[in-house]
Structure formats: C-alpha cells, structure tokens
C-alpha cells in the first residue's frame, strides 16, 4: 500500500497524448468491466459487476481513444470521510486502475494518475492511498510512498484481498 499527499503533478514535457481523459458515465459500465477483465483474471483487480460500475461511474476517470473510441484505461477515486481516530479531513483511495495491454507504457496510466491527483487536490483530500499487486513504480514516480494500513481508511483496509 502506498500513499501520497495530493498535489498537482508537474506537466510533462511530452507530445500531446493520443487519448483524452474524462469522467466516466454510467453507459461506460460494460466497457469498464471488459477493460478490467484481464486484470481480474490475473488477480490484480477484484471482479466488479456491470451494474456496480454503472452505480459508481462518478468515481471513475477514463482514458479514451481519439474521436470517442474505446476506453483504454481507467482509475477510480473513492473519497472516505475521516472516521474517529483516523485523523482529520477526508482521504481518497485510488482503485481499479488499469490500462489496456496495447496501451501500457504509452503514458495512458501516467495521464490518468495526473488527472486523479488533480481531482484529489481539487477536493482538498488530506491523503491519497492505493494498493497494488505490482511494484508501484508509477505511483512512486508521482510522489506516493510506502505506508502501513494504519493510516488508510479502516473500511477500505478491511475490504482488501489479503493476498
């Protein structure tokens, strides 16, 4: 598990991306489930139903191919109010962060993470958490640092897969 204090990421000195980042809509639910499927099979993500994606669409940012093409990446940002004994202010959790295999390494994940950090900053979140089955290199490059579960929202920690 890693955490960061939400700060806007510095703009990259890269060419314009071949995708756009936008808020997800309920009608994106089936595509979000399909995008997540390979990650669910690998054990990196929890399986979520199409109705759940539709109900939580407001949590998600998506990276979409030019011209309204396919969704090529997604990340959810869930806000948790501070519970008694968990510090002051709301915190966020990034979840269901995935990028289509053919777009990995192309900057889609970094673009989604920058947008999620900007959203967390705009919401004045005190901290931002993520859990990953990988090494977390992208998170570390954007200011996240390893932490313990003690600092994270307890309801989220209880929901994590112990593997």
């Amino acid at each position: 598990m890693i955490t960061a204090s939400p700060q806007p990421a510095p703009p990259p000195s890269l060419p314009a991306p071949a995708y756009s980042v936008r808020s997800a809509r309920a009608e994106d639910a089936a595509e979000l489930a399909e995008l997540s499927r390979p990650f669910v099979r690998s054990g990196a993500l929890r399986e979520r139903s199409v109705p759940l994606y539709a109900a939580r669409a407001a949590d998600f940012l998506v990276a979409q191919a030019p011209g309204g093409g396919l969704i090529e990446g997604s990340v959810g940002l869930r806000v948790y109010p501070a519970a008694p004994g968990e510090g002051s202010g709301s915190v966020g959790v990034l979840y269901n962060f995935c990028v289509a295999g053919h777009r990995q390494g192309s900057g889609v994940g970094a673009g989604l993470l920058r947008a999620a950090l900007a959203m967390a900053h705009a919401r004045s979140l005190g901290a931002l958490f993520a859990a990953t089955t990988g090494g977390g290199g992208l998170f570390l490059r954007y200011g996240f640092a390893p932490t313990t579960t003690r600092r994270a929202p307890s309801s989220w920690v209880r929901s994590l897969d112990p593997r």
Side-chain angles (χ1 to χ4, degrees), residues 1 14 22 25-26 29 32 34 39-40 46 58 69 73 82 85 89 94-95 97 104 112 122-123 132 141 154:
M1 175 178 321
L14 301 173
R22 64 169 175 82
R25 301 179 291 260
L32 287 168
E34 182 64 29
F39 301 94
V40 170
R46 170 180 313 177
L94 295 179
Y95 73 100
F97 192 179
Q104 290 181 10
L112 282 166
R123 293 180 180 180
T132 181
R141 285 192 298 276
S154 58

Side-chain angles (χ1 to χ4, degrees), residues 43-68:
L45 289 179
R46 170 180 313 177
E47 186 168 13
R48 292 174 173 86
S49 67
V50 172
L52 183 59
Y53 279 113
R56 295 203 177 145
D59 284 0
F60 284 90
L61 294 170
V62 297
Q64 189 169 30

Side-chain angles (χ1 to χ4, degrees), residues 6 12 14 18 52 57 59 83-84 93 102 113-114 128 130 139 145 153:
L14 301 173
L52 183 59
D59 284 0
V93 171
H102 72 280
L113 185 53
R114 281 192 303 275
L128 190 59
F139 293 112

